[in-house]
Amino acid sequence: MSSRADSLSGCVDSENLIRYRSQNAKILLEAGWKADAAIQGFGRTNRTNQKQPPMFRPVSTDVKAQKRFISTIARRLDSMGAITRGQRQTGGQNMFRPEDNLESFYARDALRQLYLLIVNAKVEGCSLLTFESATGLSLLDIDGCLREELPPITTFLNRMLALTIDLQNILFEAFEGLLVHRIEAAVAAGTYEIGLETLRAESFAVNARQTIYTHPGTGAATQLLTIERKERVLPLDLDDALALVRERGGELLVNQRSQRAAVKLGARSVIDDDGAIHRRVRLHRPLDASHMLLADFVMSHWQPADRDQFADVWKAELADIPDYETSTLHMASGLLLPIWRLLPKESSRVYRLQTDEGERIIGRKVSPGWVASVIRDTPCDLPKDEAWQLLQKGEAVLHLAEGQMLRRVRAMNDWRIELSGFNDLGVDRLKAFGLISEIVSWQLKLYVPAGAAGADVFARLVDRFPIQRIADRKAA
């Protein structure tokens, strides 16, 4: 489950019961099939002025097919939230993870890929004959090809209940690996739809407000807001990092090159569309936690460390972390439907927030490059580090003096920053700034070096050729 709804396997001992009571945790044996009744029951356990809110812990076993019941509850709670408040996570209160809903679009897509892997004999331990004889589901037509109308997800989940435990584990491991891979890819790409999301921080302040569209019939306006966000930085302290080692079997690591510390934990493997299993590890750092392929981890500079060495490096990192972090956020708010197609297509996520003055804002986040391309302002005061970050992310194209242009391109199977529009007579001067020259398809190309050296070369370049205009990469 999620951090708010951790599953418990087997019986609960007295020590855990004492800990759950101190946390006001509720052991949820059976939530019921009616979502509205379940939510009402959850609410009755919380009393007015209660200092510790309740924490529900659904009980489950290691029988994989039992997730079919958890999935139904998660789906109905999310559906009730969408109906009652227009917001999916309202009903379920984030009790369940996205992968707990086994009837979503991502789950259906993962199931179809699982069928294909079974037909191609790429699921170890379960052949096509074994699957069809155990489940009674047919995947091939009379011509021996994959059927167009495959068994739906609900039928697949129901048939899993009749299988042996070993076969359930084999199929669910492959299915969940495909599902997690799809959800993580959608989240990383910014396309995962989670409904209306609330942004939270210590402070939100609107620094600039500009109308970029006015509807001719109603007079309703679309505003572009520049918001300063101040967030409290809450790093993982040393005691909590060491607790991960004791309670979850983690390993202390120190990177021999960067002299950074991390705690290594196990992580769920993912399965690609070809059926290959990619094993991963999870690295917990003071400010974040990320997954890393096991093959990449073995080739990295992370090495085991003793407790004293790990503690010294971890404390040194904590000392360099500020208490607060300030950033700038751009949002398009107000009337959005008439200009929806003009907004950035990287993500259609809608956010809401409340400023320090009490103003409630709902809108879409937009990149600084899109902002500059819309308002057509000359960003002479754009800091060099921000401009460099926009280039590296590929969010903008910089137009420099004398008709030159900087943009991120794909070259030699890697992302690089290319300078175009330069004068052939000035190539030597540009190379003296640190730019790299290469011949690609019999044409001279100039690139800004990658890594830390690239920022210095970029700074020297824009000092000599100031930024004239910044454009969105789609419009450039």
Side-chain angles (χ1 to χ4, degrees):
M1 304 305 142
S2 66
S3 58
R4 296 193 57 195
D6 298 331
S7 60
L8 304 177
S9 299
C11 61
V12 181
D13 55 28
S14 58
E15 181 180 351
N16 283 331
L17 277 176
I18 296 175
R19 179 166 59 89
Y20 294 149
R21 288 171 180 172
S22 64
Q23 295 177 352
N24 194 19
K26 312 295 182 183
I27 301 175
L28 186 60
L29 295 177
E30 186 176 354
W33 292 105
K34 296 181 65 176
D36 55 348
I39 290 295
Q40 184 181 27
F42 295 160
R44 288 184 179 275
T45 65
N46 190 21
R47 298 308 180 193
T48 305
N49 298 325
Q50 186 171 305
K51 292 184 179 180
Q52 179 67 34
M55 180 183 299
F56 295 95
R57 297 183 179 270
V59 177
S60 65
T61 66
D62 56 357
V63 178
K64 296 291 186 179
Q66 190 184 20
K67 293 186 178 181
R68 197 264 184 271
F69 305 111
I70 299 295
S71 170
T72 301
I73 298 172
R75 177 180 57 82
R76 292 183 179 181
L77 290 177
D78 288 344
S79 299
M80 191 186 73
I83 294 173
T84 57
R85 296 287 297 275
Q87 179 179 350
R88 265 192 292 276
Q89 66 268 39
T90 302
Q93 295 295 318
N94 292 324
M95 284 184 62
F96 300 95
R97 303 172 301 175
E99 55 266 32
D100 288 329
N101 185 354
L102 303 181
E103 302 174 50
S104 64
F105 162 78
Y106 301 99
R108 293 194 296 270
D109 185 56
L111 178 62
R112 182 175 182 83
Q113 187 62 35
L114 176 64
Y115 288 152
L116 184 60
L117 294 179
I118 293 175
V119 171
N120 294 331
K122 292 186 176 181
V123 177
E124 185 177 355
C126 181
S127 64
L128 176 61
L129 181 60
T130 301
F131 176 82
E132 291 184 340
S133 60
T135 62
L137 301 177
S138 178
L139 303 182
L140 300 180
D141 56 19
I142 57 176
D143 297 326
C145 300
L146 191 67
R147 297 174 55 183
E148 293 186 2
E149 295 294 333
L150 291 167
I153 185 70
T154 52
T155 302
F156 169 78
L157 295 175
N158 288 335
R159 299 296 173 90
M160 289 298 101
L161 296 171
L163 302 183
T164 62
I165 300 299
D166 292 338
L167 190 55
Q168 286 184 26
N169 293 338
I170 292 173
L171 291 174
F172 259 90
E173 284 295 331
F175 173 65
E176 289 179 326
L178 292 167
L179 176 58
V180 171
H181 180 67
R182 279 156 171 74
I183 292 178
E184 290 184 354
V187 172
T191 59
Y192 184 75
E193 183 59 46
I194 60 174
L196 188 64
E197 183 176 349
T198 302
L199 298 179
R200 304 187 185 278
E202 289 290 320
S203 172
F204 286 109
V206 179
N207 292 339
R209 191 188 305 263
Q210 182 173 353
T211 301
I212 58 176
Y213 174 79
T214 302
H215 192 272
T218 62
T222 305
Q223 292 187 328
L224 183 61
L225 307 177
T226 301
I227 303 171
E228 183 180 282
R229 174 171 56 185
K230 183 179 180 182
E231 298 178 280
R232 180 182 292 275
V233 181
L234 299 174
L236 184 70
D237 59 29
L238 179 60
D239 293 337
D240 292 336
L242 296 176
L244 292 176
V245 179
R246 295 192 306 269
E247 299 175 3
R248 301 178 59 182
E251 182 181 4
L252 304 178
L253 302 174
V254 171
N255 193 296
Q256 300 302 316
R257 173 174 291 183
S258 64
Q259 289 301 307
R260 301 294 183 182
V263 178
K264 187 189 77 171
L265 297 176
R268 178 188 295 276
S269 301
V270 295
I271 302 177
D272 60 22
D273 291 344
D274 295 328
I277 299 176
H278 299 276
R279 305 193 181 279
R280 303 183 302 173
V281 297
R282 185 173 178 84
L283 299 181
H284 283 262
R285 303 262 298 111
L287 290 179
D288 57 34
S290 60
H291 289 94
M292 189 175 185
L293 293 177
L294 182 59
D296 296 336
F297 173 78
V298 172
M299 301 300 295
S300 68
H301 294 274
W302 291 105
Q303 298 294 332
D306 57 36
R307 177 167 179 159
D308 294 337
Q309 181 187 8
F310 174 85
D312 293 339
V313 176
W314 193 274
K315 290 179 181 178
E317 289 191 59
L318 294 179
D320 295 335
I321 298 176
D323 294 333
Y324 294 93
E325 184 178 37
T326 303
S327 59
T328 300
L329 172 68
H330 300 281
M331 289 189 67
S333 181
L335 185 65
L336 296 181
L337 287 180
I339 66 167
W340 190 267
R341 293 185 177 181
L342 301 178
L343 295 173
K345 297 178 177 58
E346 288 81 3
S347 174
S348 59
R349 221 178 263 181
V350 178
Y351 299 88
R352 67 181 174 188
L353 59 87
Q354 183 169 339
T355 65
D356 298 342
E357 290 75 19
E359 179 185 4
R360 296 182 177 180
I361 299 173
I362 298 178
R364 282 183 54 181
K365 289 199 298 185
V366 293
S367 66
W370 186 88
V371 172
S373 66
V374 170
I375 63 178
R376 302 295 181 185
D377 284 346
T378 302
C380 299
D381 57 347
L382 184 68
K384 297 176 185 177
D385 55 345
E386 292 186 14
W388 176 243
Q389 291 177 6
L390 290 178
L391 275 178
Q392 289 185 307
K393 295 178 182 178
E395 295 180 352
V397 176
L398 301 184
H399 294 261
L400 308 183
E402 301 184 12
Q404 300 176 101
M405 184 186 302
L406 281 172
R407 72 168 73 205
R408 190 180 74 160
V409 298
R410 190 75 173 176
M412 302 298 292
N413 297 323
D414 196 7
W415 290 109
R416 307 181 68 178
I417 306 300
E418 180 186 1
L419 176 69
S420 59
F422 54 87
N423 191 324
D424 293 340
L425 300 178
V427 171
D428 292 338
R429 178 177 56 181
L430 293 173
K431 292 170 66 174
F433 288 157
L435 273 77
I436 301 174
S437 63
E438 295 182 8
I439 303 298
V440 180
S441 299
W442 297 282
Q443 292 184 351
L444 178 64
K445 301 287 186 178
L446 292 180
Y447 300 102
V448 178
D456 297 333
V457 174
F458 172 77
R460 289 194 294 268
L461 183 63
V462 297
D463 284 340
R464 176 60 182 84
F465 303 100
I467 302 175
Q468 300 294 321
R469 185 169 64 89
I470 183 171
D472 182 63
R473 64 177 180 180
K474 300 295 183 182

